[in-house]
Amino acid sequence: MKSVWLQENKWEDVEHYLENKKTILVPFGSVEQHAKHLPMGTDSLVAIKVAEDAAAQTGTLVAPPTWVGWAPHHMAFPGTITLRPETLTNVAMDIIQSLVYHGFEKIILINGHREANLPPLKIAVTKLRNRTGAFIAIADPFYIAEQVGRRIRLSEAGGIGHAAEMETSHMYYIHPELCEEENAVKNVHQKHPFLQHDPYSGGDRVFVPSDVAAYREGSMNIGVVGDPTVSTKENGEIYHHELVGNIVNFIQYCEEEVQVTLRNQEIPL
Ligand SMILES: [Zn+2]
């Protein structure tokens, strides 16, 4: 392979790859407001970099990234693009089904948009896992890098949310040229404990979807929820390497231990 990226290879390279290896990574992100200090493509840039580094360490192919995701509440700020959730489900299904048609058996989605993309992506992978027999997983930083996140966080409870501590540290490490540290603003206020958004604080909680107007106001008209003022490039580096290392570990598990028999290999029509 000349590149880990599928789209930078020729079809014959893919044919040769499939003779020995049946795994592929598929990045999904979002283009949405990320306050005044991070670029709108943050979630996609994270998915792309994480996938690229894990792929390079394991000689695994990466499918083209899907840049836009499901982000209705971020429409409160200009520039955000959101798909309808069923559109994202269908895009994911068509990409995965195309890969399965060619013989990819183990498909790992790398989701850089955390919670928000998960419902539509989970529907897509559950349908196709049952229909095709392919082993399909979603690696999301919330879950596959939870331990390191809990260990290195510096902010108080509520400090991890959107454009907040962890993804800001991560971006300072992987894309410092696109960040404006001097514009990072803290927005942590006490809510009812059941409404706690911080994934590492634990506790009992309920789900209430965001409303566009309420989100704008609740994010101080800036788009930040949490505390990016404590973020550091050093913590971003630790976070990135543990996140990538866990994905590498999972790729190795998929290749060595997961057995797949494909069925219903159909072209999406
Ligand atoms: Zn983000």
Side-chain angles (χ1 to χ4, degrees):
M1 285 192 306
K2 290 163 193 70
S3 162
V4 297
W5 290 102
L6 179 86
Q7 66 272 23
E8 293 178 3
N9 287 280
K10 315 287 186 297
W11 69 263
E12 281 190 311
D13 302 322
V14 179
E15 190 173 71
H16 290 144
Y17 177 90
L18 281 166
E19 286 166 9
N20 307 306
K21 215 165 145 76
K22 310 285 187 188
T23 306
I24 190 162
L25 307 182
V26 190
F28 283 85
S30 183
V31 174
E32 65 186 39
Q33 71 82 17
H34 268 77
K36 296 187 178 185
H37 64 289
L38 298 180
M40 289 200 296
T42 289
D43 297 348
S44 295
L45 292 163
V46 163
I48 288 166
K49 182 66 177 155
V50 165
E52 190 173 61
D53 286 3
Q57 289 181 36
T58 53
T60 306
L61 269 177
V62 190
T66 298
W67 273 85
V68 291
W70 188 37
H73 47 300
H74 294 298
M75 293 297 283
F77 298 87
T80 298
I81 298 173
T82 187
L83 300 178
R84 284 165 287 165
E86 57 270 32
T87 306
L88 180 57
T89 297
N90 286 332
V91 168
M93 286 184 71
D94 287 357
I95 292 171
I96 296 166
Q97 208 178 340
S98 298
L99 296 168
V100 169
Y101 180 79
H102 295 304
F104 287 97
E105 296 177 347
K106 298 151 190 180
I107 294 157
I108 304 170
L109 277 55
I110 308 292
N111 177 39
H113 184 35
R114 308 198 187 194
E115 283 290 338
N117 271 353
L118 283 178
L121 292 180
K122 282 182 175 177
I123 291 169
V125 304
T126 302
K127 285 186 176 187
L128 284 178
R129 169 119 178 90
N130 281 277
R131 193 177 297 165
T132 67
F135 182 84
I136 316 172
I138 304 173
D140 183 290
F142 254 154
Y143 301 104
I144 199 164
E146 184 177 330
Q147 300 304 318
V148 63
R150 286 179 185 276
R151 200 171 68 238
I152 65 176
R153 77 171 299 165
L154 298 168
S155 59
E156 64 200 276
I160 302 196
H162 179 74
E165 181 187 351
M166 213 52 68
E167 70 176 340
T168 298
S169 291
H170 199 187
M171 284 296 283
Y172 285 170
Y173 176 60
I174 63 173
H175 281 293
E177 77 285 3
L178 299 176
C179 302
E180 292 180 19
E181 193 168 349
E182 65 280 13
N183 290 330
V185 174
K186 175 180 175 179
N187 175 23
V188 177
H189 53 266
Q190 295 307 316
K191 298 179 194 165
H192 189 286
F194 292 173
L195 300 176
Q196 183 55 259
H197 186 77
D198 188 330
Y200 305 142
S201 338
D204 302 330
R205 57 190 74 193
V206 297
F207 172 71
V208 180
S210 294
D211 161 86
V212 173
Y215 194 85
R216 175 142 189 150
E217 199 184 316
S219 63
M220 292 171 55
N221 284 312
I222 292 173
V224 63
V225 179
D227 186 5
T229 64
V230 297
S231 300
T232 67
K233 187 175 197 166
E234 291 71 27
N235 271 352
E237 183 172 5
I238 295 167
Y239 183 74
H240 182 74
H241 289 301
E242 194 153 323
L243 172 52
V244 170
N246 286 349
I247 292 170
V248 166
N249 182 303
F250 188 66
I251 292 169
Q252 288 163 346
Y253 160 77
C254 288
E255 309 222 302
E256 289 161 18
E257 296 188 43
V258 176
Q259 300 295 324
V260 170
T261 304
L262 293 180
R263 56 182 183 268
N264 300 324
Q265 288 172 268
E266 291 167 4
I267 297 170
L269 290 172

